[in-house]
Structure formats: C-alpha cells, structure tokens
C-alpha cells in the first residue's frame, strides 16, 4: 500500500510541477512526513503510519488539484484502461527498463548479503547503503539539470544546449569532493552520527564512496543519452551495469560478506564506465 501510494503521488507531484505550484507541493509532502513521524512517536507501527500518512496526502492532493487532477482522470478513464496501459508502455518501454535496472542495481547487493549475513550485520550495512544512495541521489539530481536542458533544446523549447562534457564535469565536481570528505569522515559518521555497532561499517562506507565518482560519470553519460532521446541506448547500458553487478555480487558477497557487497558496487560501476567510455570513443 505504501509503495502504491508513493507511485500515485508522483502523478500529483507532476501536476503541481506543471502548474508551478511548488509551495503547495512542498507543504503536502512535508506535512505527510511530519504526520507519519508523529504517528510513530505516538506508538503506531511504522508501516501503518506510512500508509495512513500516504493515503491522507493523496486525498489532500486531490482536493487541492480539483477535478483536473491526473489521479481522477486515471480513475475514470475515457478509453479502455488496458489499452491506455499498453500504449503508455509502448511509448515508455525503454525508460521502464531503465527504471527497473536502476531499482535492481540499488538493491542487488543488499538482497544478496541478506542471504548470508545476520541481522546485526544487515542493520549496519543497510544504514551505510542508504547513506550512499542518498548521496548518490544528490549527485543525480544535479545531473538532471543538463539532461533537461538537452531535451528542451532538442524539442525546440529552449536555447541552452550543454555540450556532452558538461554533464561529466558536473558529475566530477559534485562526486569527487563529496566522496573524499565522506571517506575521511567515515569513522566519525558511522560511530558517532549513525551509532553503528559493527566495527567494519566505516570501511564499507569508504568503499561505497570509491564507487561514487564512477557512478556519477556513468549516470552523466546515461542522462545525456536520455536527453537526446536515445532511450534504448541508456537502457542497454543499465542492463550491462546490472549484469556486471550480478557477477561481482556473486563473487564478492560469499567471499567477503558486507565488504564484498560494497566492493562489488565499486567494481561494477568502474567496469561499466570503462566499457561505456570505450564504446563511446569507437562511436565518435
């Protein structure tokens, strides 16, 4: 229910963004999170609190958007729902594959580790992996700006067309300093800030930070392709990353445990970037 509510909320967020109602959008999202936090503090189980707050956000969003909200249009479609779904998948099939690959890459190491590690290790590793994904999310948010600029220029609705190297420069400018700082502060972050009991947590975080620059440059290349409407090329590149990560996880996790999962992420990102750079050089 929580996952479905989050997915439906993306339609509302798109409506608010299209109408440039950023304040209403921020109030709804932050208000729902505050409500869920209060419910948890009051003793309500976390999953129940998230579901209740998510449903309340959906209802409030529909009231604010009015009769033209996208959720209402989807609930009472003018045409066949199955036909609409099939048409949408045909139009965005490559991007659906890209999103599925992104989800797999983000979860593969954690899922594989859970098969061989105990709850104590998984608790610490989950916190470290979540920190890496959060930092990576900040970098990818920065990379979406040149991607949108390229898409707008391609569609003739904008005048700024960033060259291909611009996104790579943004990726390196964001990822390298962040990776260096977090790696140096890893012992403090894991022991003092996160209070993780496992002694190897700082090393895991440093290994994830080793993957960050490679990940950033890879996503810069993929976002450039998406901005230029090369969706199939971007999806195939993510499929390559997923395949390489699978091999690295299969080798690293049984041999080295949590450290192997972090090492597999860094190795997969580095190897995939090397393949993409070679392929790009040959194409040019």
């Amino acid at each position: 229910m929580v996952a479905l509510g989050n997915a439906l909320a993306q339609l509302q967020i798109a409506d608010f963004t299209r109408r440039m109602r950023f304040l209403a959008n921020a109030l709804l999202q932050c208000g729902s999170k505050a409500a869920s936090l209060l419910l948890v503090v009051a003793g309500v189980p976390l999953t129940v609190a998230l579901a209740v707050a998510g449903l309340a956000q959906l209802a409030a969003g529909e009231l604010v958007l009015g009769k033209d909200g996208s959720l209402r249009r989807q609930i009472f479609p003018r045409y066949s729902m199955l036909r609409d779904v099939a048409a949408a998948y045909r139009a965005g099939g490559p991007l659906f594959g890209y999103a599925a690959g992104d989800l797999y890459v983000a979860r593969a190491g954690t899922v594989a580790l859970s098969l061989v590690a105990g709850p104590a290790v998984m608790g610490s590793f989950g916190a470290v992996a979540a920190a890496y994904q959060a930092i990576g999310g900040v970098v990818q948010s920065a990379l979406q700006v040149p991607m949108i600029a390229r898409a707008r220029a391609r569609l003739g609705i904008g005048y700024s067309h960033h060259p291909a190297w611009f996104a790579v420069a943004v990726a390196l400018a964001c990822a390298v300093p962040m990776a260096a700082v977090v790696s140096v502060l890893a012992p403090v972050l894991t022991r003092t800030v996160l209070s993780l009991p496992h002694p190897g947590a700082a090393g895991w975080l440093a290994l994830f930070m080793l993957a960050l620059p490679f990940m950033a440059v890879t996503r810069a290349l993929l976002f450039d392709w998406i901005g230029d409407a090369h969706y199939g090329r971007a999806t195939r590149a993510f499929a390559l990353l997923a395949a390489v990560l699978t091999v690295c996880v299969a080798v690293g996790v049984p041999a080295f445990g949590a450290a192997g999962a972090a090492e597999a992420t860094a190795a997969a990102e580095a190897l995939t970037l090397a393949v993409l750079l070679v392929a790009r050089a040959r194409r040019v």
Side-chain angles (χ1 to χ4, degrees), residues 137-218:
V138 173
V139 176
Q140 294 192 54
S141 296
L143 294 175
Q144 289 176 0
V145 176
M147 177 190 71
I148 294 173
R150 294 177 73 90
R152 288 174 62 86
R154 172 173 53 82
L155 296 173
I157 57 177
Y159 301 100
S160 61
H161 183 75
H162 296 300
W165 57 264
F166 182 79
V168 174
V170 171
L172 293 175
C174 292
V176 173
M178 294 175 69
V181 171
V182 174
S183 296
V184 172
L185 297 179
V188 177
L189 294 174
T190 54
R191 295 173 188 171
T192 305
V193 178
L194 298 177
S195 300
L196 301 181
H198 200 284
W204 306 339
L205 184 57
L207 287 172
F208 273 122
M209 289 302 102
L210 179 62
L212 186 65
F214 299 108
M215 182 277 294
V217 176
T218 299

Side-chain angles (χ1 to χ4, degrees), residues 9-106:
Q10 296 303 314
L11 295 174
Q12 291 182 334
I13 293 172
D15 279 346
F16 282 114
T17 302
R18 184 168 56 250
R19 302 178 190 189
M20 301 187 71
R21 300 180 64 180
F22 302 114
L23 180 58
N25 185 20
L27 287 175
L28 277 175
Q29 293 191 60
C30 296
S32 66
K33 291 175 174 58
S36 63
L37 177 60
L38 292 176
L39 290 174
V40 171
V41 172
V44 177
L46 176 61
T47 50
V48 176
L50 292 175
V52 170
L55 292 176
Q57 177 184 343
L58 289 176
E62 282 302 290
L63 290 175
V64 174
L65 289 169
K67 63 180 181 180
D68 294 329
S70 60
L71 286 185
R72 206 165 303 182
R73 292 199 303 271
Q74 294 297 329
I75 293 174
F76 302 104
R78 183 178 301 177
Y79 305 106
S80 169
M81 178 67 75
L82 292 178
R83 187 168 62 184
D84 288 347
V85 170
Y89 180 78
R90 286 194 300 270
L95 289 180
F96 177 82
Y98 182 95
D102 192 8
L103 179 64
Y104 176 84
V105 168

